[in-house]
């Protein structure tokens, strides 16, 4: 049955739904979060023409929150002009009211701009939109460390070594640039 025959995203939606319900676990969508992100991408590629679109910063469709902390919230976003999925980190209102926090946020952007390493996200822009300071950067694939730390998940020693080497290489690049990274946690 057609979900919405007049909508040009129907075929993509139906394909994503079939994949989410596939009886073969090897072909099925990995998680509810992965399915939610697939639906968000379909919405972005096939916007409802009857619904006005709000573009954050004039260019970004916010697809959903990736994580939130005391100082900022990071979103998965789609850059309309570049046709690319990116990460947008938005400084919290409380942090924006604190000059020291604003300075740290700008420094973070400067570090990402100047330190290039395959294990660090690439910097795209630092700007303010509707009074909100934000940083746009590369959306890095992968999972949070906390997703690996559970009773159901067991990494092989070689996997732990590989992840540790990548993390150490990124930290070394930061340290060589004179930066001491103090926000290393299993949630990042």
């Amino acid at each position: 049955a057609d979900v919405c025959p007049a909508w040009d995203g129907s075929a993509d939606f139906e394909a994503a739904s079939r994949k989410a319900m596939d009886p073969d676990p090897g072909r099925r969508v990995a998680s509810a979060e992965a399915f939610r992100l697939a639906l968000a991408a379909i919405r972005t590629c096939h916007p409802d023409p009857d619904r006005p679109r709000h573009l954050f910063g004039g260019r970004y469709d916010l697809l959903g929150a990736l994580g939130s902390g005391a100082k900022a919230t990071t979103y998965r976003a789609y850059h309309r002009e570049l046709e690319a999925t990116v990460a947008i980190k938005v400084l919290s209102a409380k942090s924006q009211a604190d000059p020291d926090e604003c300075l740290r946020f700008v420094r973070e952007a400067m570090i990402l701009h100047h330190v290039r390493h395959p294990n660090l996200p690439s910097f795209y822009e630092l700007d303010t939109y509707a009074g909100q300071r934000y940083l746009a950067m590369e959306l890095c694939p992968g999972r949070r460390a906390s997703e690996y730390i559970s009773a159901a998940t067991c990494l092989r020693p070689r996997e732990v070594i590989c992840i540790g080497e990548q993390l150490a290489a990124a930290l070394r690049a930061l340290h060589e640039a004179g930066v001491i990274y103090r926000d290393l946690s299993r949630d990042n």
Side-chain angles (χ1 to χ4, degrees), residues 71-134:
K71 300 177 189 325
T73 300
T74 303
Y75 298 91
R76 174 185 297 270
Y78 183 77
H79 191 296
R80 282 286 188 89
E81 295 166 350
L82 299 178
E83 298 181 352
T85 304
V86 301
I88 302 286
K89 186 173 185 179
V90 181
L91 197 59
S92 71
K94 181 179 178 185
S95 292
Q96 288 187 100
D98 182 341
D100 290 334
E101 290 299 329
C102 288
L103 182 59
R104 282 187 196 98
F105 195 71
V106 171
R107 280 190 195 141
E108 178 181 353
M110 290 172 63
I111 290 164
L112 285 177
H113 177 70
H114 292 290
V115 180
R116 310 249 187 236
H117 190 274
N119 300 114
L120 295 172
S122 296
F123 168 82
Y124 296 146
E125 74 174 326
L126 174 67
D127 207 346
T128 302
Y129 174 70
Q132 295 180 291
R133 196 77 164 143
Y134 72 92

Side-chain angles (χ1 to χ4, degrees), residues 103-181:
L103 182 59
R104 282 187 196 98
F105 195 71
V106 171
R107 280 190 195 141
E108 178 181 353
M110 290 172 63
I111 290 164
L112 285 177
H113 177 70
H114 292 290
V115 180
R116 310 249 187 236
H117 190 274
N119 300 114
L120 295 172
S122 296
F123 168 82
Y124 296 146
E125 74 174 326
L126 174 67
D127 207 346
T128 302
Y129 174 70
Q132 295 180 291
R133 196 77 164 143
Y134 72 92
L135 164 65
M137 64 190 123
E138 175 184 13
L139 178 64
C140 297
R143 302 185 301 183
R144 292 183 180 141
S146 60
E147 294 178 40
Y148 292 103
I149 305 169
S150 72
T153 304
C154 183
L155 294 174
R156 290 183 222 125
R158 184 69 211 139
E159 292 171 311
V160 173
I161 291 168
C162 182
I163 291 168
E165 287 173 341
Q166 292 175 45
L167 179 60
L171 290 172
R172 181 176 52 239
L174 290 170
H175 289 176
E176 287 172 355
V179 176
I180 298 175
Y181 187 73

